[in-house]
Amino acid sequence: MFKVLFISYYFPPMGLSGVQRSLKFAKYLKQFNWEPTILTAGDTAYYAHDYELLKEAENAELKIVRTDGSGPNHVGKKKTVKIPREIIRKTLSNLSKFFFIPDNKIGWSNSVYKKGKELLSNEKFDIIYVTCPPFSSFVTAAKLKKEFDLPLIVDYRDLWFGNQFSFMPTPYHKMQHKKLEYESLKAADKVIVINRRIKERLIKQYQFLTFDDVVIYPHGFDPEDFEKSVPIPKPHNKLILTYSGIFYENITPKYLIKAFKKLSQERPDIAANYELHFVGYFRKENQQLVNRLGLQEFVKDHGYLSHKDAVQRIISSDVLWMMVGETQSAETISTSKLFEYFGSRKPVLGCVPDGAAKTALEEYGASFIVPPDDIDAIMNSLIRINELYKKGNLPTANEEYVNRHNRIKLTEQLAKQFQFYLKAE
């Protein structure tokens, strides 16, 4: 077995979709002769905890090293905290970005540096891998690479400089972020990104990066999750449209809800055929909108579920829904939840702008694609979906495209990338 120091802040028992990529890569690396030591957060306050995912990591006999740090996320250890109203969450997030550069995980990343030095001094590792965000961990990994002269591979799950949620309070902040990213990328031996749009952005922003320096390993799905899941029997023949995930920033159900209200007014016969299911954190402000529009009978809020139960809800649905809001760099977003949808082979109603998510939906095939805030277009898609559902003629997925996003195959590609740097030595 070769050994990789695998740095990932987001890891079970944390829940939500942000932990999936790291968990599944780590889980399957042993199949390809690589043993990961996961260096991750300790008992941390977070919006969701999923102990089924932690059990999955333990069953895979992963070596997990946890380290704590100072900072707002390490107050109230082991505590699942409630997501505040969006205006409060965003205000706190922006305040955090004023005081912490590059992010508020810098205290944790400093502790990773100390623990990483200890591990690298006492054991032989062949490579360092870090997945971002948080990007403070990339800065730390670059320091470890220089001190121990090991190949460094960085995985960008999102853009750093210029991402859709970035907030640069002053020119100083902007300068510091770009400087840190430049220096960290200079230290990296290979950059992995989740889609072509991010690759293009990085190569354009940092001209020392060549086309071959940046490789694309998209998000995916774990076939085992779907093989083990059994659909929930339907007590009726309602058309179930499901969203699995949380809402924040410009990711909001308000346009879908308003479109459904319009449908209920103009075509109540079609609206009566639907149930809108939400798995995750629906949030108080969204439930208030549902109540204000009188749509309670159509909306089912399941709350936060374990990943296992969320997958069961996905495969028990007729159509899945997702949206990406219009932002400055929305074209770079290809959310991991979308690719888990693909693993179900279910049709997807995608309310997305031009960009990576739209391209993925087009290639998937079983898709209805409309702009994220076009209420009339969303309503018309709901009418069209109902027509096809009644005829038993909903579109089917492009199986070849789906298979390309099998996490076992993606992990094999990652292991080959690791192997290349062994041979290069």
Side-chain angles (χ1 to χ4, degrees):
M1 282 283 193
F2 301 106
K3 294 183 72 175
V4 53
L5 182 63
F6 191 114
I7 302 172
S8 176
Y9 178 82
Y10 296 102
F11 204 79
M14 291 187 199
L16 304 178
S17 59
V19 307
Q20 295 292 325
R21 184 173 174 93
S22 294
L23 171 63
K24 303 302 185 175
F25 273 153
K27 171 183 170 181
Y28 287 118
L29 271 169
K30 283 187 179 181
Q31 290 189 17
F32 305 102
N33 213 36
W34 281 87
E35 182 180 9
T37 295
I38 296 96
L39 187 47
T40 188
D43 298 325
T44 306
Y46 194 52
Y47 295 137
H49 291 89
D50 189 334
Y51 291 94
E52 288 282 339
L53 289 180
L54 179 60
K55 185 177 178 182
E56 185 176 337
E58 291 170 346
N59 289 342
E61 298 182 341
L62 295 176
K63 183 178 179 182
I64 303 172
V65 178
R66 299 189 182 276
T67 181
D68 293 321
S70 58
N73 298 89
H74 293 269
V75 176
K77 293 179 182 181
K78 288 188 177 178
K79 184 179 179 183
T80 302
V81 296
K82 189 175 180 181
I83 300 179
R85 291 181 70 89
E86 181 58 17
I87 190 169
I88 297 171
R89 188 206 64 80
K90 192 165 184 177
T91 300
L92 292 173
S93 176
N94 287 343
L95 275 173
S96 170
K97 289 167 186 172
F98 185 88
F99 291 106
F100 298 101
I101 299 175
D103 51 57
N104 63 11
K105 310 300 187 299
I106 193 166
W108 174 77
S109 296
N110 289 337
S111 70
V112 163
Y113 174 67
K114 294 174 186 175
K115 180 59 73 173
K117 280 187 71 171
E118 179 187 320
L119 290 167
L120 292 167
S121 298
N122 295 328
E123 299 178 49
K124 181 187 181 299
F125 284 88
D126 299 286
I127 214 160
I128 300 170
Y129 168 90
V130 60
T131 181
C132 313
F135 289 99
S136 55
S137 61
F138 185 15
V139 177
T140 291
K143 286 169 64 179
L144 291 171
K145 178 253 165 65
K146 289 174 184 176
E147 288 190 34
F148 291 89
D149 192 27
L150 286 172
L152 171 62
I153 294 181
V154 58
D155 177 41
Y156 270 63
R157 303 190 317 277
D158 206 343
L159 278 174
W160 177 349
F161 188 83
N163 78 56
Q164 68 273 20
F165 306 130
S166 68
F167 172 66
M168 305 286 176
T170 69
Y172 172 78
H173 286 79
K174 187 174 182 179
M175 179 184 71
Q176 285 297 107
H177 276 274
K178 196 151 194 180
K179 178 175 178 284
L180 286 171
E181 184 170 30
Y182 179 92
E183 292 171 349
S184 301
L185 283 169
K186 273 285 191 180
D189 293 276
K190 184 67 76 172
V191 181
I192 295 169
V193 297
I194 58 170
N195 61 54
R196 179 177 60 83
R197 301 294 181 116
I198 294 179
K199 176 171 180 169
E200 289 170 349
R201 282 282 193 102
L202 285 176
I203 292 172
K204 185 177 180 180
Q205 286 177 354
Y206 302 101
Q207 295 185 8
F208 63 85
L209 290 173
T210 68
F211 183 86
D212 291 334
D213 287 333
V214 186
V215 295
I216 302 168
Y217 296 158
H219 285 308
F221 68 95
D222 186 347
E224 189 175 273
D225 291 338
F226 293 92
E227 289 162 6
K228 290 183 175 180
S229 195
V230 179
I232 299 166
K234 268 192 183 185
H236 48 63
N237 197 35
K238 296 273 188 179
L239 197 169
I240 297 176
L241 185 144
T242 297
Y243 174 79
S244 178
I246 62 174
F247 296 110
Y248 60 101
E249 296 278 349
N250 290 339
I251 300 173
T252 170
K254 68 180 180 181
Y255 302 109
L256 173 69
I257 293 168
K258 288 178 180 179
F260 195 82
K261 176 60 177 178
K262 190 171 184 182
L263 179 68
S264 70
Q265 293 170 326
E266 297 185 10
R267 291 296 306 272
D269 56 320
I270 291 178
N273 294 333
Y274 272 97
E275 281 185 359
L276 309 183
H277 288 226
F278 293 92
V279 174
Y281 292 121
F282 190 51
R283 304 189 69 155
K284 186 177 179 180
E285 53 263 47
N286 296 322
Q287 187 60 57
Q288 287 173 340
L289 176 61
V290 169
N291 295 345
R292 192 162 65 247
L293 297 178
L295 298 175
Q296 298 93 319
E297 67 178 293
F298 301 103
V299 174
K300 310 294 181 185
D301 176 13
H302 297 283
Y304 179 74
L305 300 177
S306 70
H307 179 250
K308 176 183 174 183
D309 290 339
V311 168
Q312 186 179 39
R313 286 287 169 187
I314 286 171
I315 66 166
S316 303
S317 305
D318 300 296
V319 180
L320 305 168
W321 172 75
M322 72 152 296
M323 76 91 64
V324 172
E326 291 278 8
T327 62
Q328 186 176 0
S329 54
E331 79 277 3
T332 66
I333 303 173
S334 50
T335 171
S336 61
K337 183 55 64 179
L338 179 60
F339 292 83
E340 188 151 75
Y341 282 3
F342 293 168
S344 73
R345 279 80 170 175
K346 298 287 184 177
V348 179
L349 170 57
C351 300
V352 296
D354 290 336
K358 184 176 180 180
T359 299
L361 284 162
E362 288 170 343
E363 293 190 57
Y364 176 59
S367 307
F368 303 86
I369 305 171
V370 296
D373 55 358
D374 190 331
I375 292 171
D376 285 335
I378 297 170
M379 182 187 73
N380 289 332
S381 288
L382 292 172
I383 293 170
R384 177 66 178 150
I385 289 167
N386 179 71
E387 290 172 354
L388 294 174
Y389 174 74
K390 290 296 185 184
K391 295 175 183 176
N393 200 25
L394 285 168
T396 56
N398 176 345
E399 195 63 26
E400 187 274 331
Y401 180 76
V402 171
N403 286 331
R404 270 192 270 150
H405 296 88
N406 181 318
R407 288 201 189 269
I408 301 173
K409 294 178 181 179
L410 292 171
T411 307
E412 182 179 17
Q413 293 173 33
L414 180 65
K416 285 178 179 177
Q417 195 64 243
F418 290 176
Q419 208 73 24
F420 173 82
Y421 285 95
L422 287 179
K423 292 174 183 175
E425 292 179 332

